[in-house]
């Protein structure tokens, strides 16, 4: 028997080898055929000084079409095939078969950040990127036949979407769908295998005029003129700010290193000027007044390998997309504020810290010479941006960081005080090593062993913090609402709401939605560690150990911030809430939660409670504390049409199993006599606990799911679109409440949904973007359609 089995395996192996040879031969033949027909590939610059008569202008004609039809899928690190179409440089760079997000990666990957890790098309080819534009001889025929982009647009035109509401199994969907990413020599084989996979993928084809415009531009060689110059009024402000960012004193260099390591992902803009121009703060080898020479390191605190770093402002070249857009205003008020925090204080910087990874990854060591209260107030002033960093930053794919948080919770902050520049400074100096983060290691190969190491450090840290808090005494720091930052009476960042949409999330100013199950109370050390763990120190190109441990360490930070919030409750209520929040957690987590360092039973709240539901009472106190400060534009109460607000508000009464079929995030367009109104319908999934990155569905409690509706656009990845007339609102709400069954959900979709297969999908999409930009002109960015459902 074994003899026949061996013979069978030999034959099978031989056939496999023959198939490999055949396929390889075909690929080689395809490549050879292209070069024989159209000449050798010559990657190069497509910029021309002046367009010839009849040539299409990229900037005025092509760019708007590509942005509104292509960038909705092709942007950020999770762009299919790393094909980022939000800039001409991204189009010329092309695509790659390698994925940035690879949670099985044993070794860190090479960096492929657009505008940073290569400076020319030839350099990108050396990094394995292949063209989507023709790079053979410059002829009309070659521009069509050897251009992947042209071929995929034409494939869609030849094979439009089937006439069906729900697309068939010919299409694959989901966050982890495998992308084929055909090279020019593979496009014919790809088209034969997947005739319906033209672009835009699994969406309607472009309107005829848009299709012809793009095809003509590609057939003409996809040439473009020089990028339009930045308006002159911006240049003087850039000079002023670069002077501020490059003060030569030791204090100035350390302060601006701190600012850079926190703002390197910000979409900086000058609110004193009109026009949507956003900028990045970068490290450069060259001083202001000279061309910027970007220092491209894996992390913002890695060794720049130069004697002096200069911080420069460069205009963001790509189109603004909502999932990475974090606007941050630069103005005179901001400069005065930073001067008061860092330059008008009495302290000394006598030596600059080095860039050794062990130290540079730990901000408590690197910036120990800067006043703690100044650092804390700096990140508190824009707390929404600070918290948003771990959602819209390097982890924009979502699940790596987001399955550690609940679907809906409120965030509050401990107020800065003079104690932070005395007692807290000494505490940090004595316990800096306990505050070290996983990002202090380049790659991690034993993440679970490392988890236990950091677990022990975290327990030791909490014990030390316990001693520190007790040493202050209640007369100095009473445990009551007076210890919470109130935004100095004017800052809307004082309280935040976080919504998790399964694999993405949103941070909003204000206390939105019904009272949540959990809340966070963050102090300086919590905010700083979150930033250096999941923003400054998170390497999206890192190995699986680095990614896993980053997520596991975030467990500690979540539990710590939840535990701090619980200190505002009576002791017995703390135990009750913690038991509710961690139902079904594994024994190791429960043992951690039951340790004296976490429980901190010696700390008694100074708040007087009058009911048997202290948490509800506390939330009411907090809502009252912040009600005059927080923005109301998200709330339905801000609508002029009270009937519309009242009817839509009834959605929040639909709960539990009635929500079974609704996705996490839906955008609703309501047509009224006064114009379009847009809303976001958010489903919050309930869980037993959030302590494991695996088996999330086993921890679900659908009977506790809730629904929230808000004005405007919340979230970057819509799952569904709905369009209704205000005359049909009551029927729409009724059908939402009946959508828990498959039949009810199908009737809701058939009546009100604008599916991804809808023939007028792009008309609706344009309407959405007009509404978004009008409602939120600064925060506006293109949405991501990769997670639109096919139902």
């Amino acid at each position: 028997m074994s003899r026949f089995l061996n013979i069978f395996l030999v034959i099978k192996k031989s056939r496999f080898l023959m198939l490999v040879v055949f396929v390889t031969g075909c690929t080689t033949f395809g490549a050879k055929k292209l070069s024989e027909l159209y000449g050798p590939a010559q990657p190069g610059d497509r910029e021309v000084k002046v367009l010839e008569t009849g040539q299409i202008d990229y900037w005025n004609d092509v760019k708007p079409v590509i942005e509104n039809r292509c960038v909705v899928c092709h942007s950020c690190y999770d762009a299919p095939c790393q094909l980022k179409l939000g800039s001409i440089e991204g189009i010329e760079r092309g695509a790659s078969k390698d994925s940035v997000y690879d949670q099985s990666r044993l070794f860190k990957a090479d960096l492929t950040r657009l505008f940073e890790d290569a400076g020319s098309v030839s350099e990108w080819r050396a990094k394995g990127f292949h063209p989507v534009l023709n790079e053979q001889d410059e002829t009309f025929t070659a521009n069509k036949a050897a251009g992947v982009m042209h071929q995929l647009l034409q494939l869609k035109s030849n094979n439009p979407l089937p006439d069906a509401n729900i697309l068939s199994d010919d299409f694959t969907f989901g966050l982890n769908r495998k992308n084929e990413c055909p090279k020019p020599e593979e496009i014919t084989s790809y088209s034969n295998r997947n005739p319906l996979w033209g672009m835009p993928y699994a969406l309607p084809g472009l309107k005829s005029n848009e299709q012809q415009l793009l095809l003509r531009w590609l057939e003409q060689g996809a040439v473009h003129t020089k990028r339009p110059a930045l308006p002159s009024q911006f240049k003087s402000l850039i000079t002023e700010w670069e002077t501020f960012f490059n003060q030569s004193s030791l204090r100035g260099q350390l302060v601006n290193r701190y600012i850079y390591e926190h703002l390197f992902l910000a979409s900086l803009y000058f609110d004193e000027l009109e026009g949507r121009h956003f900028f990045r703060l970068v490290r450069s080898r060259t001083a202001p007044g000279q061309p910027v020479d970007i220092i491209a390191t894996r992390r913002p605190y890695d060794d720049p390998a130069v004697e002096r770093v200069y911080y420069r402002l460069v205009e963001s070249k790509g189109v603004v997309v909502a999932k990475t857009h974090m606007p941050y205003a630069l103005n005179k008020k901001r400069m005065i504020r930073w001067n008061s925090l860092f330059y008008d204080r009495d302290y000394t910087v006598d030596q600059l810290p080095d860039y050794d990874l062990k130290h540079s990854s730990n901000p408590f060591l690197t910036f120990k010479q800067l006043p703690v209260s100044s650092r804390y107030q700096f990140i508190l002033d824009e707390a929404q941006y600070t918290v948003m960093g771990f959602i819209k930053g390097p982890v924009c794919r979502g699940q790596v960081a987001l399955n550690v948080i609940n679907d809906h919770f409120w965030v509050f902050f401990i107020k800065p005080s003079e104690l932070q520049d005395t007692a807290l400074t000494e505490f940090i100096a004595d316990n800096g090593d306990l505050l070290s983060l996983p990002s202090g290691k380049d790659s991690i190969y034993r993440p679970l062993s490392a988890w236990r190491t950091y677990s022990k450090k975290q327990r030791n840290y909490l014990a030390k913090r316990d001693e520190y808090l007790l040493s202050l005494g209640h007369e100095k720091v009473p445990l009551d609402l007076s210890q919470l930052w109130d935004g100095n009476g004017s800052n809307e960042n004082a309280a935040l709401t976080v919504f998790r949409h399964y694999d993405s999330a949103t941070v909003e100013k204000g206390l939105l939605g019904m009272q949540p199950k959990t809340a966070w109370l963050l102090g300086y050390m919590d905010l700083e560690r979150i930033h250096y763990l999941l923003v400054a120190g998170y390497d999206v190109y890192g190995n699986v150990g680095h990614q896993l441990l980053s997520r596991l360490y975030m467990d500690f930070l979540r539990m710590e911030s939840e535990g701090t919030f619980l200190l505002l409750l009576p002791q017995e209520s703390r135990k009750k809430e913690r038991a509710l929040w961690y139902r079904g957690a594994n024994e190791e987590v429960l043992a951690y939660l039951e340790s004296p360092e976490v429980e901190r039973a010696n700390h008694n709240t100074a708040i007087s409670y009058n009911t048997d539901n202290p948490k509800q009472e506390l939330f009411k106190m907090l809502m009252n504390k912040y009600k005059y400060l927080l923005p109301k534009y998200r709330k339905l109460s801000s609508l002029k049409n009270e009937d519309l607000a009242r009817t839509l508000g009834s959605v929040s009464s639909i709960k539990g199993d009635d929500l079974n079929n609704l996705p996490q995030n839906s955008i609703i367009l309501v047509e009224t006599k006064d114009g379009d109104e847009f809303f976001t319908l958010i489903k919050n999934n309930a869980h037993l606990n959030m302590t494991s990155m695996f088996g999330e569905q086993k921890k679900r409690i659908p009977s506790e799911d809730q629904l929230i509706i808000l004005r405007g656009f919340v979230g970057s990845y819509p799952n569904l679109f709905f369009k209704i007339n205000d005359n049909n609102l009551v029927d729409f709400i009724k059908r939402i409440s009946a959508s828990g069954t498959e039949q009810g959900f199908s009737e809701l979709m058939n009546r009100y949904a604008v599916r991804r297969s809808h023939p007028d999908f792009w008309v609706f999409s344009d309407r959405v973007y007009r509404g978004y930009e009008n409602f939120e002109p600064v925060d506006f960015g293109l949405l991501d359609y990769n997670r639109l459902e096919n139902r």
Side-chain angles (χ1 to χ4, degrees), residues 334-350:
R334 180 85 67 192
M335 191 176 290
I336 292 171
R337 174 64 162 167
W338 288 353
N339 274 317
S340 70
L341 290 177
F342 294 112
Y343 292 103
D344 298 340
R345 300 286 302 274
D346 183 16
Y347 65 97
T348 302
V349 175
D350 52 22

Side-chain angles (χ1 to χ4, degrees), residues 140-175:
F140 175 83
T141 304
N143 287 335
K144 292 173 60 177
V148 171
M149 194 170 172
H150 189 288
Q151 291 288 317
L152 292 178
L153 286 168
Q154 192 63 59
L155 180 64
K156 183 64 162 221
S157 180
N158 296 339
N159 300 275
L161 282 186
D163 185 14
N165 285 333
I166 300 176
L167 300 178
S168 69
D169 292 340
D170 291 317
F171 298 92
T172 58
F173 298 94
L175 192 62

Side-chain angles (χ1 to χ4, degrees), residues 57 85 203 234 285 306 316 349 353 372 420 422 464 553 610 646 694 754:
D57 181 23
L85 299 177
L203 289 166
F234 287 89
R285 297 177 180 85
V306 294
S316 299
V349 175
V372 170
Q420 291 165 350
T422 54
K464 295 289 186 182
Y553 191 91
N610 303 310
R646 184 167 48 253
F694 304 110
V754 180

Side-chain angles (χ1 to χ4, degrees), residues 1 642 707:
M1 183 69 178
E642 294 181 359
L707 204 58

Side-chain angles (χ1 to χ4, degrees), residues 299-560:
R299 288 164 292 249
Y301 52 70
D302 284 342
D303 190 347
V306 294
E307 184 176 347
R308 169 76 191 275
V309 170
Y310 297 95
Y311 300 99
R312 307 288 301 278
L313 289 169
V314 297
E315 186 178 9
S316 299
K317 296 180 180 179
V319 64
V320 175
V321 293
K323 61 185 175 180
T324 59
H325 185 45
M326 294 184 283
Y328 196 110
L330 296 180
N331 48 43
K332 293 177 180 177
K333 183 179 178 181
R334 180 85 67 192
M335 191 176 290
I336 292 171
R337 174 64 162 167
W338 288 353
N339 274 317
S340 70
L341 290 177
F342 294 112
Y343 292 103
D344 298 340
R345 300 286 302 274
D346 183 16
Y347 65 97
T348 302
V349 175
D350 52 22
Q351 185 178 0
L352 293 177
D354 61 30
Y355 285 94
D356 180 86
L357 185 59
K358 183 178 180 180
H359 302 126
S360 64
S361 64
N362 187 334
F364 307 107
L365 300 178
T366 302
F367 301 106
K368 62 184 179 181
Q369 297 175 89
L370 300 182
V372 170
S373 60
S374 295
R375 286 181 263 163
Y376 186 29
Q377 193 64 66
F378 171 83
I379 53 182
L380 269 189
D381 281 349
E382 296 292 343
Q384 182 193 31
Y385 165 84
T386 305
V387 176
M388 194 187 296
F390 88 87
I391 289 169
K392 290 193 173 187
V395 294
C396 75
R397 178 66 174 268
Q399 280 294 87
V400 174
L402 298 182
N403 59 14
V404 74
I405 62 175
N406 284 283
D407 272 35
H408 173 222
F409 58 95
W410 291 343
V411 181
F412 306 95
F413 306 96
I414 298 170
K415 71 177 182 181
S417 71
E418 294 180 1
L419 283 172
Q420 291 165 350
D421 288 331
T422 54
L424 185 57
T425 298
E426 293 176 5
F427 172 79
I428 292 174
D430 293 339
N431 298 281
D433 183 60
L434 296 178
L435 296 167
S436 62
L437 297 166
S439 52
K441 295 185 177 181
D442 209 12
S443 290
I444 297 166
Y445 299 102
R446 299 178 64 188
L448 296 182
S449 174
W451 184 89
R452 291 185 174 89
T453 299
Y454 284 102
S455 172
K456 184 177 179 180
K457 278 190 173 186
Q458 178 71 356
R459 284 184 178 180
N460 290 338
Y461 159 70
L462 290 176
K464 295 289 186 182
R465 195 181 84 160
D466 206 37
E467 294 175 7
Y468 160 72
L469 290 174
L470 286 172
S471 71
L472 298 178
H474 281 229
E475 68 280 0
K476 292 185 179 179
V477 186
L479 288 173
D480 60 19
L481 299 192
S482 69
Q483 297 308 308
L484 273 61
W485 182 54
D486 66 356
N488 303 321
S490 61
N491 193 321
E492 295 178 344
N493 287 273
L496 307 174
T497 299
V498 176
F499 295 105
R500 178 197 173 202
H501 320 295
Y502 182 63
D503 50 22
S504 66
T506 309
V507 184
E508 291 287 331
K509 295 175 182 175
L511 302 178
L512 303 179
M514 64 287 291
Q515 291 185 0
K517 182 173 77 171
T518 66
W520 292 7
L521 179 54
L522 299 172
Y524 167 66
M525 291 180 289
D526 308 307
L527 272 177
E528 201 75 280
R529 282 182 292 164
I530 288 175
H531 178 78
Y532 276 84
L533 175 72
L534 294 177
V535 185
Y538 186 80
D539 181 10
V540 71
Y541 296 91
N543 80 330
V544 62
H546 166 79
Q547 298 179 30
L548 176 60
L549 188 56
S550 296
R551 188 262 180 230
L552 294 175
Y553 191 91
M554 185 59 196
D555 264 337
F556 298 137
L557 298 183
R558 186 204 66 248
M559 288 187 280
E560 183 181 334

